[in-house]
Amino acid sequence: VQLVESGGGSVQAGGSLTLSCAASGYSSVRGCIGWFRQAPGKGREGVAVIKGGIQKYYASSVKGRFTISQDNDKSMMELQMNNLRAEDTAMYYCAEKNTWSGRTWADVGTYDNWGQGTQVTVS
């Protein structure tokens, strides 16, 4: 599985950005795909994940502001980020795994494949 992120950039607080993740070789039958982020000096944390194009999970810090979506053939995933805050500044990573548990959707160590990341800076 190869994951390539795009769409990061710099934006003022209150603005919006859309991140994209192109996924090749990904099968959504058993697993899930989602977004993580890592701010300077902090650990990597789960932001949002989507399973089967339908089930969606969000971190409490982004719920109501971020929306995860996936196209019908599951080759492209997006994260629409609205009302961005300075604390959303981080490197954002796309990640996938071929297993699923709602309890571990945000567990970094359970994911099999990662993209290189795209930087989001909110000032």
Side-chain angles (χ1 to χ4, degrees):
V1 177
Q2 186 174 16
L3 305 172
V4 180
E5 304 96 335
S6 61
S10 297
V11 65
Q12 291 187 336
S16 299
L17 280 175
T18 300
L19 305 183
S20 297
C21 174
S24 59
Y26 168 70
S27 170
S28 67
V29 174
R30 294 177 297 168
C32 64
I33 189 168
W35 292 96
F36 289 73
R37 67 186 181 186
Q38 187 165 15
K42 296 187 177 181
R44 196 167 294 190
E45 64 175 0
V47 176
V49 70
I50 188 167
K51 173 176 168 48
I54 299 175
Q55 290 179 264
K56 302 177 183 180
Y57 290 74
Y58 295 94
S60 57
S61 60
V62 306
K63 197 171 294 185
R65 300 187 298 122
F66 291 11
T67 303
I68 191 170
S69 62
Q70 195 173 29
D71 64 359
N72 288 335
D73 67 3
K74 308 299 188 295
S75 65
M76 185 68 72
M77 179 188 60
E78 290 191 342
L79 184 70
Q80 173 67 43
M81 305 185 295
N82 296 326
N83 191 20
L84 283 160
R85 305 167 180 168
E87 53 263 39
D88 295 318
T89 294
M91 184 71 79
Y92 283 70
Y93 298 91
C94 177
E96 70 87 31
K97 59 180 176 178
N98 60 12
T99 58
W100 169 255
S101 169
R103 294 181 296 107
T104 62
W105 76 264
D107 289 359
V108 172
T110 63
Y111 283 76
D112 303 309
N113 295 288
W114 294 82
Q116 293 300 306
T118 185
Q119 178 69 37
V120 172
T121 302
V122 185
S123 59

